[in-house]
mmCIF file of all heavy atoms in Angstrom:
data_model
loop_
_atom_site.group_PDB
_atom_site.id
_atom_site.type_symbol
_atom_site.label_atom_id
_atom_site.label_comp_id
_atom_site.label_asym_id
_atom_site.label_seq_id
_atom_site.Cartn_x
_atom_site.Cartn_y
_atom_site.Cartn_z
ATOM 1 N N VAL A 1 152.459 103.747 82.839
ATOM 2 C CA VAL A 1 151.304 104.599 83.113
ATOM 3 C C VAL A 1 150.032 103.770 82.954
ATOM 4 O O VAL A 1 150.016 102.770 82.219
ATOM 5 C CB VAL A 1 151.286 105.817 82.150
ATOM 6 C CG1 VAL A 1 150.734 105.453 80.775
ATOM 7 C CG2 VAL A 1 150.522 106.985 82.748
ATOM 8 N N VAL A 2 148.967 104.181 83.642
ATOM 9 C CA VAL A 2 147.629 103.639 83.390
ATOM 10 C C VAL A 2 146.973 104.546 82.353
ATOM 11 O O VAL A 2 146.844 105.754 82.588
ATOM 12 C CB VAL A 2 146.784 103.575 84.666
ATOM 13 C CG1 VAL A 2 145.360 103.120 84.346
ATOM 14 C CG2 VAL A 2 147.425 102.626 85.676
ATOM 15 N N GLY A 3 146.592 103.980 81.207
ATOM 16 C CA GLY A 3 146.012 104.778 80.135
ATOM 17 C C GLY A 3 144.614 104.334 79.774
ATOM 18 O O GLY A 3 144.193 103.220 80.081
ATOM 19 N N GLY A 4 143.884 105.228 79.119
ATOM 20 C CA GLY A 4 142.546 104.915 78.647
ATOM 21 C C GLY A 4 142.450 105.063 77.143
ATOM 22 O O GLY A 4 143.276 105.728 76.510
ATOM 23 N N TYR A 5 141.427 104.438 76.554
ATOM 24 C CA TYR A 5 141.185 104.570 75.115
ATOM 25 C C TYR A 5 139.684 104.632 74.869
ATOM 26 O O TYR A 5 138.871 104.200 75.694
ATOM 27 C CB TYR A 5 141.819 103.401 74.349
ATOM 28 C CG TYR A 5 141.413 102.026 74.830
ATOM 29 C CD1 TYR A 5 140.242 101.414 74.366
ATOM 30 C CD2 TYR A 5 142.187 101.340 75.757
ATOM 31 C CE1 TYR A 5 139.865 100.155 74.809
ATOM 32 C CE2 TYR A 5 141.815 100.072 76.201
ATOM 33 C CZ TYR A 5 140.656 99.491 75.737
ATOM 34 O OH TYR A 5 140.279 98.252 76.186
ATOM 35 N N ARG A 6 139.297 105.207 73.715
ATOM 36 C CA ARG A 6 137.875 105.339 73.363
ATOM 37 C C ARG A 6 137.739 105.461 71.856
ATOM 38 O O ARG A 6 138.730 105.631 71.134
ATOM 39 C CB ARG A 6 137.282 106.574 74.051
ATOM 40 C CG ARG A 6 137.928 107.892 73.642
ATOM 41 C CD ARG A 6 137.153 109.087 74.196
ATOM 42 N NE ARG A 6 137.775 110.343 73.821
ATOM 43 C CZ ARG A 6 138.613 111.028 74.615
ATOM 44 N NH1 ARG A 6 138.915 110.569 75.812
ATOM 45 N NH2 ARG A 6 139.140 112.161 74.196
ATOM 46 N N LEU A 7 136.489 105.390 71.377
ATOM 47 C CA LEU A 7 136.229 105.537 69.951
ATOM 48 C C LEU A 7 136.699 106.901 69.460
ATOM 49 O O LEU A 7 136.588 107.914 70.157
ATOM 50 C CB LEU A 7 134.738 105.363 69.657
ATOM 51 C CG LEU A 7 134.219 103.926 69.643
ATOM 52 C CD1 LEU A 7 132.693 103.921 69.503
ATOM 53 C CD2 LEU A 7 134.854 103.133 68.491
ATOM 54 N N GLN A 8 137.183 106.921 68.242
ATOM 55 C CA GLN A 8 137.754 108.135 67.678
ATOM 56 C C GLN A 8 136.675 109.172 67.391
ATOM 57 O O GLN A 8 135.701 108.922 66.682
ATOM 58 C CB GLN A 8 138.499 107.798 66.382
ATOM 59 C CG GLN A 8 139.333 108.923 65.829
ATOM 60 C CD GLN A 8 140.249 108.425 64.721
ATOM 61 O OE1 GLN A 8 140.092 107.324 64.226
ATOM 62 N NE2 GLN A 8 141.217 109.244 64.350
ATOM 63 N N ASP A 9 136.827 110.356 67.977
ATOM 64 C CA ASP A 9 135.943 111.496 67.745
ATOM 65 C C ASP A 9 136.739 112.753 68.093
ATOM 66 O O ASP A 9 137.038 113.000 69.261
ATOM 67 C CB ASP A 9 134.691 111.408 68.612
ATOM 68 C CG ASP A 9 133.711 112.553 68.353
ATOM 69 O OD1 ASP A 9 134.135 113.597 67.800
ATOM 70 O OD2 ASP A 9 132.530 112.413 68.707
ATOM 71 N N PRO A 10 137.127 113.574 67.100
ATOM 72 C CA PRO A 10 138.045 114.697 67.350
ATOM 73 C C PRO A 10 137.476 115.781 68.245
ATOM 74 O O PRO A 10 138.214 116.651 68.708
ATOM 75 C CB PRO A 10 138.319 115.236 65.937
ATOM 76 C CG PRO A 10 137.156 114.796 65.122
ATOM 77 C CD PRO A 10 136.745 113.471 65.681
ATOM 78 N N THR A 11 136.170 115.775 68.525
ATOM 79 C CA THR A 11 135.590 116.823 69.376
ATOM 80 C C THR A 11 135.115 116.290 70.725
ATOM 81 O O THR A 11 134.580 117.036 71.528
ATOM 82 C CB THR A 11 134.402 117.486 68.667
ATOM 83 O OG1 THR A 11 133.368 116.500 68.454
ATOM 84 C CG2 THR A 11 134.818 118.073 67.343
ATOM 85 N N ASP A 12 135.327 114.997 70.978
ATOM 86 C CA ASP A 12 134.804 114.381 72.193
ATOM 87 C C ASP A 12 135.953 114.019 73.126
ATOM 88 O O ASP A 12 136.836 113.250 72.766
ATOM 89 C CB ASP A 12 134.003 113.127 71.846
ATOM 90 C CG ASP A 12 133.456 112.424 73.075
ATOM 91 O OD1 ASP A 12 133.398 113.063 74.139
ATOM 92 O OD2 ASP A 12 133.103 111.241 72.967
ATOM 93 N N ASN A 13 135.955 114.593 74.321
ATOM 94 C CA ASN A 13 136.959 114.217 75.310
ATOM 95 C C ASN A 13 136.276 113.695 76.572
ATOM 96 O O ASN A 13 136.607 114.069 77.693
ATOM 97 C CB ASN A 13 137.896 115.391 75.639
ATOM 98 C CG ASN A 13 137.171 116.546 76.306
ATOM 99 O OD1 ASN A 13 135.978 116.710 76.133
ATOM 100 N ND2 ASN A 13 137.904 117.344 77.074
ATOM 101 N N SER A 14 135.307 112.819 76.381
ATOM 102 C CA SER A 14 134.461 112.357 77.478
ATOM 103 C C SER A 14 134.902 111.006 78.030
ATOM 104 O O SER A 14 134.177 110.019 77.953
ATOM 105 C CB SER A 14 133.003 112.284 77.018
ATOM 106 O OG SER A 14 132.882 111.445 75.881
ATOM 107 N N GLY A 15 136.112 110.933 78.544
ATOM 108 C CA GLY A 15 136.539 109.740 79.256
ATOM 109 C C GLY A 15 137.053 108.648 78.350
ATOM 110 O O GLY A 15 137.680 108.906 77.322
ATOM 111 N N SER A 16 136.785 107.388 78.734
ATOM 112 C CA SER A 16 137.353 106.261 78.003
ATOM 113 C C SER A 16 136.394 105.082 78.013
ATOM 114 O O SER A 16 135.515 104.975 78.865
ATOM 115 C CB SER A 16 138.690 105.847 78.631
ATOM 116 O OG SER A 16 138.496 105.440 79.966
ATOM 117 N N ASP A 17 136.548 104.204 77.035
ATOM 118 C CA ASP A 17 135.759 102.977 76.948
ATOM 119 C C ASP A 17 136.476 101.796 77.584
ATOM 120 O O ASP A 17 135.862 100.767 77.869
ATOM 121 C CB ASP A 17 135.460 102.647 75.481
ATOM 122 C CG ASP A 17 134.630 103.727 74.806
ATOM 123 O OD1 ASP A 17 133.748 104.289 75.476
ATOM 124 O OD2 ASP A 17 134.873 104.019 73.628
ATOM 125 N N GLY A 18 137.774 101.908 77.762
ATOM 126 C CA GLY A 18 138.569 100.862 78.382
ATOM 127 C C GLY A 18 139.881 101.433 78.864
ATOM 128 O O GLY A 18 140.229 102.580 78.578
ATOM 129 N N ARG A 19 140.614 100.607 79.619
ATOM 130 C CA ARG A 19 141.903 101.025 80.152
ATOM 131 C C ARG A 19 142.956 99.975 79.839
ATOM 132 O O ARG A 19 142.639 98.821 79.550
ATOM 133 C CB ARG A 19 141.845 101.188 81.675
ATOM 134 C CG ARG A 19 141.000 102.327 82.195
ATOM 135 C CD ARG A 19 141.081 102.352 83.716
ATOM 136 N NE ARG A 19 140.281 103.418 84.314
ATOM 137 C CZ ARG A 19 140.204 103.632 85.623
ATOM 138 N NH1 ARG A 19 140.875 102.850 86.464
ATOM 139 N NH2 ARG A 19 139.463 104.614 86.087
ATOM 140 N N ALA A 20 144.223 100.388 79.940
ATOM 141 C CA ALA A 20 145.333 99.457 79.782
ATOM 142 C C ALA A 20 146.505 99.939 80.615
ATOM 143 O O ALA A 20 146.632 101.141 80.901
ATOM 144 C CB ALA A 20 145.742 99.341 78.317
ATOM 145 N N PHE A 21 147.349 99.004 80.993
ATOM 146 C CA PHE A 21 148.604 99.369 81.657
ATOM 147 C C PHE A 21 149.685 99.389 80.589
ATOM 148 O O PHE A 21 149.956 98.385 79.946
ATOM 149 C CB PHE A 21 148.956 98.359 82.752
ATOM 150 C CG PHE A 21 150.127 98.780 83.586
ATOM 151 C CD1 PHE A 21 149.961 99.618 84.673
ATOM 152 C CD2 PHE A 21 151.411 98.357 83.266
ATOM 153 C CE1 PHE A 21 151.042 100.031 85.436
ATOM 154 C CE2 PHE A 21 152.502 98.762 84.016
ATOM 155 C CZ PHE A 21 152.319 99.595 85.108
ATOM 156 N N TRP A 22 150.294 100.578 80.389
ATOM 157 C CA TRP A 22 151.249 100.778 79.311
ATOM 158 C C TRP A 22 152.671 100.833 79.843
ATOM 159 O O TRP A 22 152.931 101.343 80.944
ATOM 160 C CB TRP A 22 150.956 102.078 78.562
ATOM 161 C CG TRP A 22 149.617 102.119 77.898
ATOM 162 C CD1 TRP A 22 148.861 101.054 77.491
ATOM 163 C CD2 TRP A 22 148.870 103.295 77.559
ATOM 164 N NE1 TRP A 22 147.693 101.487 76.905
ATOM 165 C CE2 TRP A 22 147.664 102.861 76.946
ATOM 166 C CE3 TRP A 22 149.087 104.656 77.709
ATOM 167 C CZ2 TRP A 22 146.692 103.744 76.484
ATOM 168 C CZ3 TRP A 22 148.110 105.542 77.242
ATOM 169 C CH2 TRP A 22 146.936 105.094 76.641
ATOM 170 N N ARG A 23 153.600 100.366 79.014
ATOM 171 C CA ARG A 23 155.033 100.425 79.328
ATOM 172 C C ARG A 23 155.777 100.948 78.109
ATOM 173 O O ARG A 23 155.502 100.538 76.980
ATOM 174 C CB ARG A 23 155.546 99.021 79.667
ATOM 175 C CG ARG A 23 157.064 98.920 79.774
ATOM 176 C CD ARG A 23 157.517 97.491 80.077
ATOM 177 N NE ARG A 23 157.141 96.554 79.016
ATOM 178 C CZ ARG A 23 157.368 95.241 79.071
ATOM 179 N NH1 ARG A 23 157.934 94.712 80.135
ATOM 180 N NH2 ARG A 23 157.002 94.463 78.071
ATOM 181 N N SER A 24 156.730 101.847 78.331
ATOM 182 C CA SER A 24 157.581 102.340 77.252
ATOM 183 C C SER A 24 159.039 102.125 77.636
ATOM 184 O O SER A 24 159.557 102.794 78.534
ATOM 185 C CB SER A 24 157.324 103.826 76.974
ATOM 186 O OG SER A 24 158.162 104.292 75.931
ATOM 187 N N THR A 25 159.694 101.174 76.973
ATOM 188 C CA THR A 25 161.096 100.894 77.267
ATOM 189 C C THR A 25 162.027 101.950 76.665
ATOM 190 O O THR A 25 163.179 102.064 77.084
ATOM 191 C CB THR A 25 161.494 99.506 76.743
ATOM 192 O OG1 THR A 25 161.212 99.442 75.341
ATOM 193 C CG2 THR A 25 160.704 98.415 77.458
ATOM 194 N N ASP A 26 161.521 102.710 75.698
ATOM 195 C CA ASP A 26 162.286 103.802 75.078
ATOM 196 C C ASP A 26 161.360 105.011 74.977
ATOM 197 O O ASP A 26 160.843 105.322 73.898
ATOM 198 C CB ASP A 26 162.796 103.370 73.701
ATOM 199 C CG ASP A 26 163.635 104.442 73.022
ATOM 200 O OD1 ASP A 26 164.061 105.392 73.723
ATOM 201 O OD2 ASP A 26 163.848 104.342 71.804
ATOM 202 N N PRO A 27 161.124 105.696 76.092
ATOM 203 C CA PRO A 27 160.105 106.752 76.115
ATOM 204 C C PRO A 27 160.336 107.871 75.109
ATOM 205 O O PRO A 27 159.376 108.449 74.602
ATOM 206 C CB PRO A 27 160.179 107.277 77.552
ATOM 207 C CG PRO A 27 160.794 106.181 78.345
ATOM 208 C CD PRO A 27 161.738 105.501 77.422
ATOM 209 N N ALA A 28 161.574 108.180 74.808
ATOM 210 C CA ALA A 28 161.851 109.271 73.864
ATOM 211 C C ALA A 28 161.349 108.952 72.463
ATOM 212 O O ALA A 28 161.126 109.851 71.652
ATOM 213 C CB ALA A 28 163.346 109.577 73.835
ATOM 214 N N SER A 29 161.128 107.659 72.170
ATOM 215 C CA SER A 29 160.660 107.261 70.839
ATOM 216 C C SER A 29 159.151 107.426 70.689
ATOM 217 O O SER A 29 158.630 107.422 69.567
ATOM 218 C CB SER A 29 161.027 105.803 70.576
ATOM 219 O OG SER A 29 160.237 104.937 71.389
ATOM 220 N N GLY A 30 158.442 107.518 71.802
ATOM 221 C CA GLY A 30 156.994 107.584 71.750
ATOM 222 C C GLY A 30 156.328 106.235 71.565
ATOM 223 O O GLY A 30 155.106 106.166 71.386
ATOM 224 N N ASN A 31 157.099 105.150 71.605
ATOM 225 C CA ASN A 31 156.534 103.811 71.455
ATOM 226 C C ASN A 31 156.242 103.206 72.823
ATOM 227 O O ASN A 31 156.986 103.414 73.779
ATOM 228 C CB ASN A 31 157.500 102.911 70.689
ATOM 229 C CG ASN A 31 157.701 103.376 69.264
ATOM 230 O OD1 ASN A 31 156.761 103.839 68.617
ATOM 231 N ND2 ASN A 31 158.926 103.275 68.770
ATOM 232 N N TYR A 32 155.172 102.421 72.903
ATOM 233 C CA TYR A 32 154.832 101.757 74.153
ATOM 234 C C TYR A 32 154.066 100.482 73.841
ATOM 235 O O TYR A 32 153.578 100.280 72.729
ATOM 236 C CB TYR A 32 154.008 102.679 75.061
ATOM 237 C CG TYR A 32 152.738 103.236 74.467
ATOM 238 C CD1 TYR A 32 151.503 102.649 74.739
ATOM 239 C CD2 TYR A 32 152.756 104.368 73.646
ATOM 240 C CE1 TYR A 32 150.322 103.162 74.209
ATOM 241 C CE2 TYR A 32 151.593 104.891 73.117
ATOM 242 C CZ TYR A 32 150.374 104.287 73.401
ATOM 243 O OH TYR A 32 149.213 104.787 72.866
ATOM 244 N N ASP A 33 153.997 99.587 74.840
ATOM 245 C CA ASP A 33 153.273 98.345 74.667
ATOM 246 C C ASP A 33 152.274 98.177 75.806
ATOM 247 O O ASP A 33 152.265 98.960 76.759
ATOM 248 C CB ASP A 33 154.220 97.147 74.565
ATOM 249 C CG ASP A 33 155.063 96.930 75.821
ATOM 250 O OD1 ASP A 33 155.307 97.900 76.559
ATOM 251 O OD2 ASP A 33 155.481 95.795 76.071
ATOM 252 N N VAL A 34 151.417 97.167 75.688
ATOM 253 C CA VAL A 34 150.367 96.908 76.667
ATOM 254 C C VAL A 34 150.765 95.700 77.508
ATOM 255 O O VAL A 34 151.093 94.640 76.965
ATOM 256 C CB VAL A 34 149.018 96.643 75.972
ATOM 257 C CG1 VAL A 34 147.980 96.172 76.974
ATOM 258 C CG2 VAL A 34 148.531 97.905 75.271
ATOM 259 N N ILE A 35 150.704 95.861 78.824
ATOM 260 C CA ILE A 35 150.990 94.745 79.733
ATOM 261 C C ILE A 35 149.703 93.971 80.037
ATOM 262 O O ILE A 35 149.682 92.748 79.984
ATOM 263 C CB ILE A 35 151.647 95.250 81.024
ATOM 264 C CG1 ILE A 35 152.953 95.981 80.713
ATOM 265 C CG2 ILE A 35 151.888 94.090 81.990
ATOM 266 C CD1 ILE A 35 153.976 95.135 79.978
ATOM 267 N N TYR A 36 148.619 94.663 80.360
ATOM 268 C CA TYR A 36 147.302 94.038 80.459
ATOM 269 C C TYR A 36 146.261 95.115 80.263
ATOM 270 O O TYR A 36 146.571 96.314 80.332
ATOM 271 C CB TYR A 36 147.119 93.267 81.776
ATOM 272 C CG TYR A 36 146.742 94.098 82.979
ATOM 273 C CD1 TYR A 36 145.425 94.148 83.429
ATOM 274 C CD2 TYR A 36 147.699 94.824 83.683
ATOM 275 C CE1 TYR A 36 145.076 94.893 84.536
ATOM 276 C CE2 TYR A 36 147.359 95.562 84.794
ATOM 277 C CZ TYR A 36 146.045 95.603 85.224
ATOM 278 O OH TYR A 36 145.694 96.344 86.317
ATOM 279 N N GLU A 37 145.002 94.717 80.000
ATOM 280 C CA GLU A 37 144.003 95.717 79.624
ATOM 281 C C GLU A 37 142.592 95.274 79.983
ATOM 282 O O GLU A 37 142.345 94.117 80.347
ATOM 283 C CB GLU A 37 144.094 95.979 78.124
ATOM 284 C CG GLU A 37 143.857 94.753 77.261
ATOM 285 C CD GLU A 37 144.175 94.988 75.797
ATOM 286 O OE1 GLU A 37 144.174 96.150 75.368
ATOM 287 O OE2 GLU A 37 144.416 94.006 75.080
ATOM 288 N N SER A 38 141.663 96.228 79.886
ATOM 289 C CA SER A 38 140.246 95.932 80.077
ATOM 290 C C SER A 38 139.799 94.845 79.113
ATOM 291 O O SER A 38 140.287 94.762 77.980
ATOM 292 C CB SER A 38 139.400 97.187 79.840
ATOM 293 O OG SER A 38 139.683 98.184 80.789
ATOM 294 N N PHE A 39 138.885 94.020 79.579
ATOM 295 C CA PHE A 39 138.248 92.949 78.802
ATOM 296 C C PHE A 39 139.165 91.752 78.555
ATOM 297 O O PHE A 39 138.768 90.803 77.888
ATOM 298 C CB PHE A 39 137.676 93.487 77.481
ATOM 299 C CG PHE A 39 136.922 94.774 77.659
ATOM 300 C CD1 PHE A 39 137.379 95.951 77.088
ATOM 301 C CD2 PHE A 39 135.770 94.824 78.433
ATOM 302 C CE1 PHE A 39 136.706 97.145 77.275
ATOM 303 C CE2 PHE A 39 135.089 96.016 78.622
ATOM 304 C CZ PHE A 39 135.550 97.179 78.040
ATOM 305 N N GLU A 40 140.371 91.796 79.119
ATOM 306 C CA GLU A 40 141.244 90.631 79.072
ATOM 307 C C GLU A 40 140.729 89.596 80.081
ATOM 308 O O GLU A 40 140.315 89.947 81.191
ATOM 309 C CB GLU A 40 142.673 91.039 79.420
ATOM 310 C CG GLU A 40 143.687 89.912 79.381
ATOM 311 C CD GLU A 40 145.106 90.404 79.648
ATOM 312 O OE1 GLU A 40 145.363 91.622 79.513
ATOM 313 O OE2 GLU A 40 145.951 89.562 79.990
ATOM 314 N N VAL A 41 140.740 88.324 79.685
ATOM 315 C CA VAL A 41 140.289 87.253 80.572
ATOM 316 C C VAL A 41 141.495 86.691 81.330
ATOM 317 O O VAL A 41 142.471 86.248 80.717
ATOM 318 C CB VAL A 41 139.586 86.134 79.798
ATOM 319 C CG1 VAL A 41 139.187 85.003 80.733
ATOM 320 C CG2 VAL A 41 138.355 86.696 79.081
#
Protein backbone atom coordinates (compact mmCIF):
# COMPACT_ATOMS: atom_id res chain seq x y z
CA VAL A 1 0.00 0.00 0.00
CA VAL A 2 0.99 3.66 -0.35
CA GLY A 3 0.77 5.14 3.15
CA GLY A 4 1.14 8.52 4.78
CA TYR A 5 2.41 9.69 8.16
CA ARG A 6 2.22 12.93 10.19
CA LEU A 7 2.95 14.40 13.61
CA GLN A 8 0.95 12.83 16.40
CA ASP A 9 -2.25 14.72 17.26
CA PRO A 10 -5.33 12.68 18.36
CA THR A 11 -7.80 15.29 17.04
CA ASP A 12 -6.12 16.16 13.74
CA ASN A 13 -6.82 14.16 10.59
CA SER A 14 -5.47 16.72 8.13
CA GLY A 15 -3.46 14.67 5.66
CA SER A 16 0.19 13.71 5.96
CA ASP A 17 3.69 15.17 6.22
CA GLY A 18 5.27 12.38 4.18
CA ARG A 19 4.55 9.15 2.37
CA ALA A 20 6.03 5.66 2.18
CA PHE A 21 5.52 2.49 0.20
CA TRP A 22 4.65 -0.23 2.71
CA ARG A 23 4.85 -4.02 2.44
CA SER A 24 3.42 -6.62 4.82
CA THR A 25 4.69 -10.17 4.29
CA ASP A 26 2.38 -11.39 7.09
CA PRO A 27 -0.65 -9.09 6.93
CA ALA A 28 -2.59 -10.89 9.66
CA SER A 29 0.16 -9.90 12.13
CA GLY A 30 -0.25 -6.19 11.49
CA ASN A 31 3.49 -5.84 10.85
CA TYR A 32 4.87 -4.05 7.79
CA ASP A 33 8.10 -2.55 6.50
CA VAL A 34 9.09 0.42 4.33
CA ILE A 35 10.39 -0.10 0.79
CA TYR A 36 11.03 3.60 0.07
CA GLU A 37 9.73 6.89 1.45
CA SER A 38 9.55 10.67 1.23
CA PHE A 39 12.83 12.53 1.79
CA GLU A 40 14.89 9.49 0.82
CA VAL A 41 17.82 10.44 -1.45
